[in-house]
């Protein structure tokens, strides 16, 4: 039996001490430029095809990381790959990059992980991002002409 002085006092002795690499966890405060919907669509479609073909998620992300031309996506893929190796889920890893990946993608990936239909949902979200990209381009085109006319008129 412990006396009143020993209650709640524990002796902790470290078994091992490891140096942690600061770059092992992504910096959430780092500002990333937004990725275009076209790039997101391509990412989702390529990842869907690779997963559907039986390529493991980590290998798929390594391929996408190596092929990425956009430095923001390349950095995000590196961080996501590290987080997956450390045991995080894919949706958790994506959520560390809210300025790169929109909330709808993170939510759909989370649903796909729980329902084991990730490749199907990635295909659908790729189609959505393509549609969104087309709409944005049409809006830009429809605004450009009136803006030019207004500038010339003034």
């Amino acid at each position: 039996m412990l006396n009143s002085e020993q209650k709640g006092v524990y002796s902790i002795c470290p078994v091992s001490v490891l140096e942690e690499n600061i770059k092992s966890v992504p910096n959430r405060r780092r500002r990333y430029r937004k990725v275009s919907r076209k790039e997101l669509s391509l990412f989702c479609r390529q990842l869907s095809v690779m997963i559907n073909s039986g390529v493991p998620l980590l290998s798929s992300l390594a391929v996408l990381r190596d092929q990425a031309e956009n430095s923001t996506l390349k950095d995000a893929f590196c961080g996501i790959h590290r987080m997956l190796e450390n045991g995080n889920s894919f949706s958790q890893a994506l959520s560390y990059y809210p300025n790169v990946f929109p909330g709808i993608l993170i939510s759909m990936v989370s649903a796909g992980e729980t329902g084991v239909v990730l490749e199907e949902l990635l295909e659908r979200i790729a189609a959505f991002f393509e549609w969104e990209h087309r709409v944005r381009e049409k809006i830009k085109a429809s605004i450009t002409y009136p803006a030019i006319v207004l500038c010339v008129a003034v």
Side-chain angles (χ1 to χ4, degrees):
M1 185 116 217
L2 297 173
N3 64 28
S4 62
E5 292 176 3
Q6 293 176 328
K7 288 182 182 176
V9 178
Y10 298 97
S11 175
I12 298 175
C13 181
V15 177
S16 66
V17 177
L18 300 173
E19 183 177 340
E20 184 176 342
N21 184 359
I22 293 176
K23 291 189 174 188
S24 66
V25 178
N27 184 355
R28 291 187 86 152
R29 293 183 182 161
R30 183 173 175 188
R31 287 279 191 204
Y32 289 101
R33 74 170 182 85
K34 290 213 175 207
V35 177
S36 75
R37 295 300 193 227
K38 189 174 183 179
E39 291 170 318
L40 285 173
S41 171
L42 184 62
F43 157 68
C44 291
R45 190 155 322 273
Q46 288 177 333
L47 188 59
S48 173
V49 167
M50 285 190 269
I51 291 173
N52 203 21
S53 300
V55 180
L57 183 59
L58 277 173
S59 300
S60 300
L61 284 171
V63 168
L64 291 173
R65 176 193 62 209
D66 295 340
Q67 290 179 350
E69 294 176 4
N70 183 328
S71 62
T72 300
L73 273 179
K74 190 175 280 246
D75 289 347
F77 291 155
C78 287
I80 291 168
H81 193 273
R82 257 184 266 120
M83 291 179 70
L84 289 174
E85 286 178 332
N86 291 336
N88 292 31
S89 71
F90 186 38
S91 58
Q92 286 174 332
L94 288 175
S95 69
Y96 272 86
Y97 298 93
N99 293 333
V100 178
F101 302 105
I104 188 168
L105 175 61
I106 297 166
S107 299
M108 293 288 275
V109 166
S110 179
E113 287 174 331
T114 58
V116 194
V117 289
L118 184 59
E119 62 276 358
E120 183 180 325
L121 287 176
L122 283 170
E123 191 67 34
R124 288 183 183 184
I125 197 75
F128 172 74
F129 286 144
E130 287 170 358
W131 171 82
E132 193 174 19
H133 174 71
R134 282 192 308 271
V135 168
R136 286 179 185 213
E137 290 301 312
K138 286 180 181 178
I139 290 171
K140 286 178 189 175
S142 65
I143 290 175
T144 303
Y145 179 73
I148 291 172
V149 170
L150 183 65
C151 288
V152 170
V154 173

